[in-house]
Amino acid sequence: MSPVAMPPGATQSIGSSLAEVLRDRIVTGVYPPGMWVRESALAEEFGYSNGPIREALQLLVGEELLVREPWRGVRVVELSDEEIVELFQLRAALLELAAELAAQHVSAEQLAAGRRLLAELDEALANGDIRAQLALGNALNLWICDCSGNGRLARNWNRFTSQSRMYFHTALRNSTDPHEVSEPWRELVDALERRDIAAARTAARQLVRRPLGGLGLPSGL
C-alpha cells in the first residue's frame, strides 16, 4: 500500500503527524472499535521506523482511543453501551458549562464566526458530506469553548471528549434529517446572542441527546 500523505503544513514530529492520520481513521470508523493496529502494518504502509510509529500509538493510547494489551499490541478502544452513555453525559456537562459561560462572555465577532460555521455546516449537510459535518461539528464545539472565556476548557476540550468523537460519525451516518443536526446549533447561537443562559444550556444538552438517539441509546439527560 502506498504511503498516506501527512497533513499539509504539519510542523509537529513525524509521530504526531502520524497520530493525526490514525486518529482520523479511528474517528471515521476506518479502524472500528476492537480492531488491532499493528506496528508492522503501519511500518509497511508508511515506511517509518518503529520510533515514530510507537510515538503515534502512545499518543492515541494517552487519548484513550487505543488500548495497549501486554504481549499483544494495541487495539481501538471498545466501549459498552453503558460506557458510551456515561461518556456523552460527561460531554453534556462540559458543553452546558461552556454554553452558560459563553452566554455571559461571547463577543459580536465570535457570534459572527459562529454564524459562518453554521453556514458551512448547512452546506455540508446539503451535500451529504459526513467527513465535513464531523469536522465542522468539532470546530463548533471548539468555538463554544473559546466563547466561554475559560481557557482551560478551550485547551482541553478534545482531550476530554476524544472518545465520544468516535461515535459521532456513526450518528451522523444514521441521521435521516439534516435539520436535526444543525438546528440545536442554531438555537444555541441564537440563545448566546440573546444572552439567555437557560436556553443556551438546553440547546447544548440537545446537541448531546441527538447523537445518542442516532446510536439508538438513551441519553439519561
Side-chain angles (χ1 to χ4, degrees):
M1 185 182 295
S2 59
V4 175
M6 291 295 103
T11 58
Q12 64 266 62
S13 69
I14 293 174
S16 296
S17 295
L18 178 57
E20 286 191 10
V21 175
L22 302 182
R23 186 184 297 109
D24 181 75
R25 291 180 180 183
I26 294 169
V27 168
T28 58
V30 176
Y31 291 171
M35 175 179 170
W36 291 96
V37 182
R38 304 296 184 187
E39 288 185 23
S40 57
L42 295 176
E44 182 177 352
E45 177 180 357
F46 291 95
Y48 296 148
S49 64
N50 287 340
I53 291 172
R54 288 173 180 167
E55 178 189 352
L57 295 178
Q58 189 56 42
L59 284 170
L60 298 179
V61 168
E63 294 175 19
E64 299 185 329
L65 293 176
L66 296 177
V67 177
R68 187 177 300 280
E69 296 192 6
W71 313 113
R72 299 190 66 188
V74 296
R75 59 178 175 81
V76 179
V77 67
E78 192 169 18
L79 302 179
S80 67
D81 287 353
E82 181 180 359
E83 288 172 322
I84 294 171
V85 170
E86 289 177 351
L87 186 64
F88 275 74
Q89 288 172 340
L90 174 61
R91 185 185 182 99
L94 293 171
L95 199 58
E96 283 191 59
L97 173 61
E100 177 176 337
L101 294 173
Q104 301 171 61
H105 300 296
V106 67
S107 68
E109 292 79 8
Q110 288 171 324
L111 284 169
R115 297 285 184 195
R116 288 193 294 272
L117 287 170
L118 268 176
E120 293 180 37
L121 178 60
D122 285 336
E123 182 178 357
L125 288 164
N127 294 333
D129 188 341
I130 293 178
R131 180 176 288 275
Q133 292 170 36
L134 193 66
L136 286 163
N138 191 51
L140 280 162
N141 281 295
L142 292 173
W143 168 79
I144 192 68
C145 289
D146 184 57
C147 292
S148 75
N150 185 314
R152 189 173 297 273
L153 179 58
R155 288 192 301 272
N156 291 283
W157 171 260
N158 279 336
R159 182 170 64 85
F160 288 147
T161 62
S162 58
Q163 283 185 329
S164 60
R165 292 184 64 208
M166 294 171 54
Y167 299 95
F168 269 85
H169 188 269
T170 300
L172 287 169
R173 194 174 61 237
N174 292 344
S175 176
T176 58
D177 181 6
H179 179 78
E180 73 178 4
V181 176
S182 60
E183 190 57 26
W185 277 115
R186 203 171 315 281
E187 292 175 358
L188 178 54
V189 175
D190 289 344
L192 296 189
E193 194 163 34
R194 300 193 308 270
R195 307 286 178 176
D196 187 332
I197 292 174
R201 290 183 67 97
T202 297
R205 196 177 310 119
Q206 184 59 26
L207 284 166
V208 178
R209 283 176 174 161
R210 180 196 55 75
L212 276 173
L215 295 168
L217 297 173
S219 69
L221 299 171

